[in-house]
Amino acid sequence: MEFAIEINNLSKKFGSFTAVNNISFSIPKGKIFGFLGPNGSGKSTTIRMLCGVITPTSGEGRVLGFDLYKNTEQIKQNIGYMSQRFGLYEDLTVNENIDFYGSIYLLAKEEMNERKKQLIEIAGLVGKEKSLAGTLSGGMKQKLALCCALIHQPQLLVLDEPTAGVDPVSRREFWKVITQLTATGITVLVTTHYMDEASICDIIGFIYNGDLITMNTPEELFEKHHTDNLEDIFIEYVSKLSSKDAVLSFKEIRQQGKEV
Amino acid sequence: MNLKRVLTVTKKEFIHIRRDKASMILALVAPVMMLLLFGFAVSTDVNDIRLAVCDQSNTMESRELIRSYENSAYFKVYTMTDNPQNAEKMIAAGNVKAALLIPTDFAKGLRRGEKEEVQILVDGSDPSIARTAANYAVMISNGYSLKVSSVKLMNTAAALNKSPGVDARAMIMYNPTLESSKFNVPGVVGLILQNITVILTAFAMVREREKGTIEQLIMTPVSSLELIVGKLIPYVFIGIYDYAIVLLLSYILFGVAIKGSILLLTLLGIIFLIGALAMGMLISTFAKTQLQAMQASLLVLLPSVLLSGFMFPREAMPKVVYAISTILPVTHFLIILRGIILKGVGISYLYKTATVLLALIIAIIAITVKKFTKKLD
């Protein structure tokens, strides 16, 4: 099997603080990998190492066959990245935003224009090409950000909480596009706090305090924990690992509130 | 460094500037406004000081003295009064800035060949006017007394030019009419070149961080050098435009022509501009938001206006303040500007100042580069 991401005993330390501790996993090409964990657990640091932005302290890894230490330029050239802040220039138009990122990846003009046309169609932004990005709705901004991340036809798409702060309809539309993309062979790495989104993933990794706790398909997780609610599984892990047993379900919280 | 990426960043930066009204005004209109403001309004020239005259002598001699005040262009007789107390009241009320009191027996004494005293009252609440007014008044009165005594001496048939004494003749060089616009305008060139560049650069750098676009950019193949160079190019152009327009307008509006070498001035100007760009970037390493960048810019810009010798002579400053003014690049650039524009001197006179300027700018660039590489790690 061909792997898009292969990492072995990867660690990152900032001074005496270990942000990521000896994690290893392999993601086959064409899969959606959901990377879960509470805020500050080491998700972003792992992503940054995988994107070639920061150098690991120890361990080894390859992304799309490129070494995390030696081939960071090739990694950057072949991945697309989108975060919850979208990275759009609000005073630039839809076209100008896409053109800017396309030129940064050194695309030839004809290739870029053709690709741009396709993406704008997929994203449903037809007719908005000359609108300033700042005037678009949250959902449209998200789609534009996706266009910018895909303009150079990356083989790996990294999504860092891409749907935070977006309405439920836009969220579903967004995921529809993502699953369509994986059909073309692109691999997706996504972090999210929405458990319904996580259940779309082919593989789920759970990271806590820099340690990779589990790595499984959603089906196996459901079976192991005797529930089909990923959120409960997530909370079970956190309370087990942090001895925060006070984390109640929303139902229980509501009940308690009424009693008081 | 890939040129296409650099130019892509530059193109984007130009779009930002074009679509941001505040940046456009700051880049294109503010220099002209600053020039007009400092050229016309900020003037330390003291002309037409309003003078109250209390002539108790009322003789040919006293009227002649008054006329010599009027003819001087420094004073304008605002009112005549018989009562010295009225003159004082008018100063208190702010109607006049100075008063000339001529005593009753003024002419009598003069006719006897004695020295007579007149009193000049000056409103000291504005020291710069007071100092000038007092000096001019003394000068005019001395001139008058010289005239009177020479007439007297002629009458006694003694030749004036044989009388011993020191005759100090001051020749004011470079700005013979002592116009303050001639002094201010070259300074404005330096301040504009620095202030506008520092603010715009700091803003441009901080904006990427504030809007979160920097997060996206570090994930792309663009290197930090490509990004920085690409972002700075538009501000180099704006700086050169501001420099050219201000020099041109200085010539048209204030008659300030460059006496020395334009080439040398431009060369040193570009070095100074690079320093200003570095300062803007240095600010952006400290500031997280555009508001913080603005505040930090003021911290640089205010001393540049007040301490650089732009408005107040550095010679009069306390030692500590003087030392601070020495580390401001603009202080040295102002010396160069005035040297080349007003005095027309060349590098052989300015090499020391130019060396200090260069050293300061290299230091600023070194600090900026160090701060930047640290930040990216």
Side-chain angles (χ1 to χ4, degrees):
Chain A
M1 197 187 283
E2 255 194 293
F3 291 106
I5 305 172
E6 281 180 279
I7 55 171
N8 224 326
N9 296 324
L10 208 62
S11 291
K12 179 69 191 180
K13 289 185 177 132
F14 296 104
S16 60
F17 171 71
T18 306
V20 174
N21 187 19
N22 262 337
I23 65 172
S24 310
F25 60 74
S26 305
I27 308 298
K29 279 194 174 164
K31 299 286 183 193
I32 303 180
F33 172 43
F35 200 33
L36 311 184
N39 295 330
S41 55
K43 274 179 305 184
S44 291
T45 309
T46 309
I47 286 181
R48 282 167 174 245
M49 283 194 280
L50 294 176
C51 294
V53 175
I54 54 175
T55 323
T57 312
S58 63
E60 55 188 41
R62 286 179 166 275
V63 168
L64 303 169
F66 300 116
D67 189 85
L68 286 190
Y69 296 89
K70 287 179 240 152
N71 311 117
T72 54
E73 284 310 301
Q74 285 100 318
I75 293 178
K76 285 182 178 176
Q77 188 65 39
N78 287 289
I79 59 167
Y81 174 84
M82 178 192 153
S83 76
Q84 88 188 86
R85 295 191 72 175
F86 298 156
L88 298 173
Y89 295 99
E90 305 224 318
D91 53 343
L92 263 59
T93 64
V94 169
N95 264 339
E96 285 164 345
N97 267 295
I98 301 176
D99 287 347
F100 171 71
Y101 283 109
S103 302
I104 286 289
Y105 287 101
L106 304 178
L107 299 185
K109 201 159 185 158
E110 304 76 44
E111 187 193 348
M112 185 163 78
N113 285 338
E114 201 176 307
R115 177 83 178 151
K116 183 168 67 181
K117 217 178 132 199
Q118 285 175 0
L119 284 171
I120 285 180
E121 243 164 72
I122 296 174
L125 289 170
V126 180
K128 293 276 179 192
E129 290 91 339
K130 294 214 163 87
S131 306
L132 294 182
T135 62
L136 301 179
S137 69
M140 282 195 205
K141 277 184 194 165
Q142 181 197 40
K143 282 170 201 145
L144 174 58
L146 188 63
C147 292
C148 293
L150 291 170
I151 184 71
H152 58 295
Q153 298 195 278
Q155 299 164 55
L156 172 66
L157 181 61
V158 178
L159 305 167
D160 195 359
E161 293 186 33
T163 51
V166 172
D167 68 84
V169 176
S170 301
R171 233 154 40 93
R172 290 198 185 173
E173 283 173 357
F174 180 80
W175 275 100
K176 202 173 150 209
V177 176
I178 298 295
T179 45
Q180 280 169 356
L181 283 170
T182 49
T184 65
I186 193 170
T187 312
V188 178
L189 164 59
V190 59
T191 73
T192 180
H193 291 303
Y194 294 110
M195 293 305 139
D196 50 345
E197 288 181 357
S199 59
I200 298 173
C201 301
D202 300 310
I203 309 162
I204 288 174
F206 185 78
I207 189 171
Y208 186 78
N209 273 351
D211 295 311
L212 189 67
I213 305 300
T214 183
M215 184 81 184
N216 237 321
T217 61
E219 290 74 24
E220 281 173 48
L221 279 175
F222 295 150
E223 206 172 308
K224 201 168 137 195
H225 294 270
H226 313 289
T227 170
D228 59 354
N229 188 333
L230 261 179
E231 186 152 324
D232 287 343
I233 300 173
F234 183 97
I235 291 186
E236 193 185 318
Y237 276 125
V238 174
S239 42
K240 202 160 72 190
L241 292 162
S242 66
S243 60
K244 251 195 227 169
D245 46 25
V247 188
L248 305 166
S249 75
F250 283 113
K251 240 184 199 164
E252 286 166 322
I253 294 170
R254 187 162 184 239
Q255 203 66 45
Q256 258 190 7
K258 279 190 176 161
E259 278 163 24
V260 173
Chain B
M1 199 161 78
N2 183 296
L3 191 66
K4 189 181 171 187
R5 276 197 204 116
V6 173
L7 293 180
T8 301
V9 175
T10 303
K11 190 177 156 196
K12 169 186 82 73
E13 204 60 31
F14 267 123
I15 299 178
H16 286 319
I17 298 167
R18 211 178 60 217
R19 300 223 170 118
D20 181 30
K21 235 183 220 157
S23 294
M24 278 292 267
I25 290 173
L26 201 58
L28 306 180
V29 186
V32 179
M33 273 169 52
M34 265 174 86
L35 178 70
L36 296 180
L37 207 67
F38 283 108
F40 284 120
V42 179
S43 166
T44 45
D45 297 350
V46 182
N47 287 325
D48 292 338
I49 301 166
R50 280 186 293 187
L51 183 74
V53 176
C54 174
D55 183 4
Q56 292 171 313
S57 163
N58 215 356
T59 53
M60 196 183 77
E61 283 84 352
S62 68
R63 280 191 290 273
E64 205 178 329
L65 179 64
I66 294 165
R67 207 169 309 121
S68 61
Y69 270 81
E70 268 190 305
N71 290 343
S72 72
Y74 301 125
F75 292 98
K76 201 168 125 192
V77 176
Y78 178 74
T79 183
M80 303 284 285
T81 171
D82 300 329
N83 188 347
Q85 272 165 350
N86 271 351
E88 277 181 54
K89 271 184 202 152
M90 268 185 273
I91 291 181
N95 295 334
V96 297
K97 290 281 178 200
L100 174 66
L101 310 180
I102 305 172
T104 330
D105 44 3
F106 174 72
K108 274 186 219 149
L110 280 183
R111 281 174 201 154
R112 278 201 303 271
E114 285 167 13
K115 268 226 181 306
E116 269 307 328
E117 284 183 358
V118 295
Q119 194 176 25
I120 296 145
L121 303 175
V122 179
D123 177 1
S125 57
D126 182 339
S128 75
I129 293 183
R131 209 171 298 126
T132 328
N135 286 344
Y136 286 149
V138 170
M139 207 168 76
I140 293 165
S141 302
N142 285 348
Y144 176 76
S145 83
L146 204 67
K147 209 166 97 192
V148 173
S149 52
S150 69
V151 171
K152 198 91 189 160
L153 285 167
M154 288 264 239
N155 289 349
T156 53
L160 173 66
N161 52 8
K162 286 216 176 124
S163 67
V166 178
D167 183 13
R169 297 193 179 195
M171 188 179 92
I172 314 274
M173 293 165 74
Y174 311 125
N175 184 6
T177 45
L178 287 177
E179 289 165 71
S180 52
S181 69
K182 286 252 161 68
F183 174 75
N184 281 340
V185 164
V188 175
V189 179
L191 277 189
I192 286 172
L193 209 54
Q194 172 183 292
N195 295 2
I196 288 173
T197 318
V198 167
I199 294 178
L200 286 177
T201 319
F203 268 42
M205 293 289 167
V206 171
R207 195 159 41 204
E208 300 267 1
R209 198 173 317 138
E210 197 177 25
K211 304 267 178 202
T213 44
I214 193 80
E215 246 179 86
Q216 185 74 33
L217 285 175
I218 56 171
M219 296 292 182
T220 70
V222 73
S223 72
S224 42
L225 187 67
E226 287 163 347
L227 186 64
I228 289 167
V229 172
K231 281 183 83 76
L232 290 184
I233 288 174
Y235 301 102
V236 173
F237 280 110
I238 289 173
I240 291 172
Y241 158 84
D242 287 346
Y243 167 81
I245 194 96
V246 172
L247 280 182
L248 191 70
L249 287 178
S250 312
Y251 177 65
I252 296 171
L253 297 175
F254 302 102
V256 178
I258 303 168
K259 284 197 189 142
S261 156
I262 296 186
L263 196 71
L264 179 64
L265 187 67
T266 306
L267 184 75
L268 292 171
I270 288 173
I271 292 174
F272 179 69
L273 180 67
I274 292 169
L277 291 170
M279 262 191 273
M281 280 174 48
L282 189 59
I283 287 172
S284 76
T285 62
F286 294 107
K288 285 193 182 66
T289 63
Q290 295 190 59
L291 183 69
Q292 285 178 4
M294 189 70 220
Q295 290 166 335
S297 303
L298 282 180
L299 223 59
V300 176
L301 305 187
L302 221 55
S304 301
V305 175
L306 297 176
L307 305 183
S308 62
F310 171 64
M311 295 182 90
F312 312 110
R314 290 169 68 226
E315 288 76 5
M317 289 173 189
K319 279 211 172 69
V320 182
V321 182
Y322 188 88
I324 295 172
S325 75
T326 311
I327 59 167
L328 295 171
V330 70
T331 303
H332 305 281
F333 190 55
L334 288 194
I335 297 173
I336 291 170
L337 278 167
R338 287 180 181 140
I340 296 177
I341 295 177
L342 289 183
K343 300 187 192 169
V345 296
I347 192 72
S348 54
Y349 287 90
L350 291 172
Y351 73 94
K352 269 189 191 160
T353 314
T355 313
V356 177
L357 178 69
L358 201 64
L360 282 174
I361 283 167
I362 290 172
I364 290 169
I365 292 174
I367 296 168
T368 309
V369 168
K370 205 171 165 205
K371 273 294 251 179
F372 243 86
T373 41
K374 221 171 160 186
K375 197 114 195 166
L376 290 171
D377 229 358

Coordinates of all heavy atoms in Angstrom, one line a residue, chain A residues 6-39:
Chain A
E6 N 3.8 8.9 6.5 CA 4.4 7.9 7.3 C 5.3 8.5 8.3 O 6.3 9.1 7.9 CB 5.3 7.0 6.4 CG 4.7 6.0 5.5 CD 5.7 5.3 4.7 OE1 6.2 5.8 3.7 OE2 6.1 4.2 5.2
I7 N 4.9 8.4 9.6 CA 5.8 9.0 10.6 C 6.2 7.9 11.6 O 5.4 7.1 12.0 CB 5.3 10.3 11.2 CG1 3.9 10.0 11.8 CG2 5.3 11.4 10.2 CD1 3.4 11.2 12.7
N8 N 7.4 8.1 12.2 CA 7.9 7.1 13.1 C 8.6 7.8 14.3 O 9.5 8.5 14.1 CB 9.0 6.2 12.3 CG 8.8 4.8 12.6 OD1 8.4 4.4 13.7 ND2 9.1 4.0 11.6
N9 N 8.0 7.5 15.5 CA 8.6 8.1 16.7 C 8.9 9.6 16.6 O 9.9 10.1 17.1 CB 9.9 7.4 17.1 CG 9.6 5.9 17.4 OD1 8.6 5.6 18.0 ND2 10.5 5.0 17.0
L10 N 7.9 10.3 16.0 CA 8.2 11.7 15.8 C 7.9 12.5 17.1 O 6.9 12.3 17.8 CB 7.2 12.2 14.8 CG 7.6 13.4 14.0 CD1 8.9 13.1 13.2 CD2 6.5 13.9 13.0
S11 N 8.9 13.4 17.5 CA 8.7 14.2 18.7 C 9.1 15.6 18.4 O 9.9 15.9 17.5 CB 9.7 13.7 19.8 OG 9.3 12.5 20.3
K12 N 8.4 16.5 19.2 CA 8.8 17.9 19.1 C 8.9 18.5 20.5 O 7.9 18.4 21.2 CB 7.8 18.7 18.2 CG 8.2 20.2 18.1 CD 9.5 20.5 17.3 CE 10.0 21.9 17.4 NZ 11.2 22.1 16.7
K13 N 10.0 19.1 20.8 CA 10.1 19.7 22.2 C 10.4 21.2 22.0 O 11.1 21.6 21.1 CB 11.3 19.1 22.9 CG 11.1 17.7 23.4 CD 12.2 17.1 24.2 CE 11.8 15.7 24.8 NZ 12.9 14.8 24.6
F14 N 9.7 22.0 22.8 CA 10.0 23.4 22.9 C 10.7 23.6 24.2 O 10.0 23.7 25.2 CB 8.8 24.3 22.7 CG 8.1 24.1 21.4 CD1 7.0 23.4 21.2 CD2 8.7 24.7 20.3 CE1 6.4 23.2 20.0 CE2 8.0 24.6 19.0 CZ 6.9 23.8 18.9
G15 N 12.0 23.7 24.3 CA 12.7 23.8 25.6 C 12.4 22.5 26.3 O 12.7 21.4 25.8
S16 N 11.9 22.6 27.5 CA 11.6 21.4 28.3 C 10.2 20.9 28.1 O 9.9 19.8 28.6 CB 11.9 21.7 29.8 OG 10.9 22.7 30.2
F17 N 9.4 21.6 27.3 CA 8.1 21.2 27.1 C 8.0 20.3 25.9 O 8.5 20.6 24.8 CB 7.2 22.4 26.9 CG 5.8 22.1 26.5 CD1 4.9 21.5 27.3 CD2 5.4 22.4 25.2 CE1 3.6 21.2 26.9 CE2 4.1 22.1 24.8 CZ 3.2 21.5 25.7
T18 N 7.4 19.1 26.1 CA 7.2 18.2 25.0 C 5.8 18.4 24.4 O 4.8 18.0 25.0 CB 7.4 16.7 25.5 OG1 8.6 16.6 26.1 CG2 7.4 15.8 24.3
A19 N 5.8 18.9 23.2 CA 4.5 19.2 22.6 C 4.0 17.9 21.9 O 2.8 17.6 21.9 CB 4.6 20.3 21.6
V20 N 4.9 17.2 21.3 CA 4.5 15.9 20.6 C 5.5 14.9 21.0 O 6.7 15.1 21.0 CB 4.5 16.1 19.1 CG1 4.3 14.8 18.4 CG2 3.5 17.1 18.6
N21 N 4.9 13.7 21.5 CA 5.8 12.7 22.2 C 5.7 11.4 21.4 O 4.8 10.7 21.5 CB 5.3 12.6 23.6 CG 6.2 11.7 24.4 OD1 7.4 11.5 24.0 ND2 5.8 11.1 25.5
N22 N 6.8 11.1 20.6 CA 7.0 9.8 20.0 C 5.7 9.3 19.3 O 5.3 8.2 19.7 CB 7.3 8.8 21.1 CG 8.8 8.6 21.2 OD1 9.5 8.8 20.2 ND2 9.4 8.2 22.3
I23 N 5.2 10.0 18.4 CA 4.0 9.4 17.7 C 4.4 8.8 16.4 O 5.3 9.2 15.7 CB 2.9 10.5 17.6 CG1 3.3 11.6 16.6 CG2 2.5 11.1 18.9 CD1 2.2 12.5 16.3
S24 N 3.7 7.7 16.1 CA 3.9 7.0 14.8 C 2.6 6.7 14.2 O 1.7 6.3 14.9 CB 4.7 5.7 15.1 OG 5.8 5.9 15.9
F25 N 2.4 6.9 12.9 CA 1.3 6.4 12.2 C 1.5 6.5 10.7 O 2.5 7.2 10.2 CB 0.0 7.1 12.6 CG 0.0 8.6 12.3 CD1 -0.2 9.2 11.0 CD2 0.0 9.5 13.4 CE1 -0.2 10.5 10.9 CE2 0.0 10.9 13.2 CZ -0.1 11.4 12.0
S26 N 0.7 5.8 9.9 CA 0.8 5.8 8.5 C -0.6 6.0 7.9 O -1.5 5.3 8.4 CB 1.4 4.5 8.0 OG 2.6 4.2 8.6
I27 N -0.7 6.8 6.9 CA -2.0 7.1 6.3 C -1.9 6.7 4.8 O -1.1 7.3 4.1 CB -2.4 8.6 6.4 CG1 -2.3 9.1 7.9 CG2 -3.8 8.8 5.8 CD1 -3.3 8.4 8.8
P28 N -2.7 5.7 4.4 CA -2.7 5.4 3.0 C -3.2 6.5 2.1 O -4.0 7.3 2.6 CB -3.6 4.2 2.9 CG -3.9 3.8 4.3 CD -3.7 5.0 5.1
K29 N -2.8 6.5 0.9 CA -3.2 7.6 -0.1 C -4.7 7.5 -0.3 O -5.3 6.4 -0.3 CB -2.4 7.4 -1.4 CG -1.1 8.0 -1.3 CD -0.4 8.2 -2.7 CE 0.9 9.0 -2.5 NZ 1.7 8.9 -3.7
G30 N -5.3 8.6 -0.5 CA -6.7 8.6 -0.9 C -7.7 8.5 0.3 O -8.9 8.4 0.1
K31 N -7.1 8.5 1.5 CA -8.0 8.4 2.7 C -8.2 9.8 3.4 O -7.5 10.7 3.2 CB -7.3 7.5 3.7 CG -7.1 6.1 3.3 CD -8.4 5.3 3.2 CE -8.1 3.9 2.8 NZ -9.4 3.2 2.4
I32 N -9.3 9.8 4.2 CA -9.5 11.0 5.0 C -9.1 10.6 6.4 O -9.7 9.7 7.0 CB -11.0 11.4 5.0 CG1 -11.5 11.7 3.6 CG2 -11.2 12.7 5.9 CD1 -12.9 12.2 3.5
F33 N -8.1 11.4 6.9 CA -7.6 11.1 8.3 C -8.1 12.2 9.2 O -7.8 13.3 9.1 CB -6.1 11.0 8.2 CG -5.4 10.9 9.6 CD1 -6.0 10.1 10.6 CD2 -4.3 11.7 9.9 CE1 -5.3 10.0 11.8 CE2 -3.7 11.6 11.1 CZ -4.2 10.7 12.1
G34 N -8.9 11.8 10.2 CA -9.4 12.8 11.2 C -8.4 12.8 12.4 O -8.2 11.7 13.0
F35 N -7.9 13.9 12.7 CA -7.0 14.0 13.8 C -7.7 14.8 14.9 O -7.9 16.0 14.9 CB -5.7 14.8 13.3 CG -4.5 14.6 14.1 CD1 -4.2 13.4 14.7 CD2 -3.6 15.7 14.2 CE1 -3.0 13.3 15.4 CE2 -2.4 15.5 14.9 CZ -2.1 14.3 15.5
L36 N -8.0 14.1 16.0 CA -8.8 14.7 17.1 C -7.9 14.9 18.4 O -6.9 14.2 18.6 CB -10.0 13.8 17.4 CG -10.8 13.3 16.3 CD1 -12.0 12.5 16.8 CD2 -11.3 14.5 15.4
G37 N -8.4 15.7 19.2 CA -7.7 16.0 20.5 C -8.2 17.3 21.0 O -8.5 18.2 20.2
P38 N -8.1 17.5 22.3 CA -8.5 18.8 22.9 C -7.6 19.9 22.5 O -6.5 19.6 22.0 CB -8.5 18.6 24.4 CG -8.1 17.2 24.6 CD -7.7 16.5 23.3
N39 N -8.0 21.1 22.7 CA -7.1 22.3 22.4 C -5.8 22.1 23.2 O -5.8 21.8 24.3 CB -7.7 23.6 22.7 CG -9.0 23.8 21.9 OD1 -9.0 23.4 20.8 ND2 -9.9 24.5 22.5

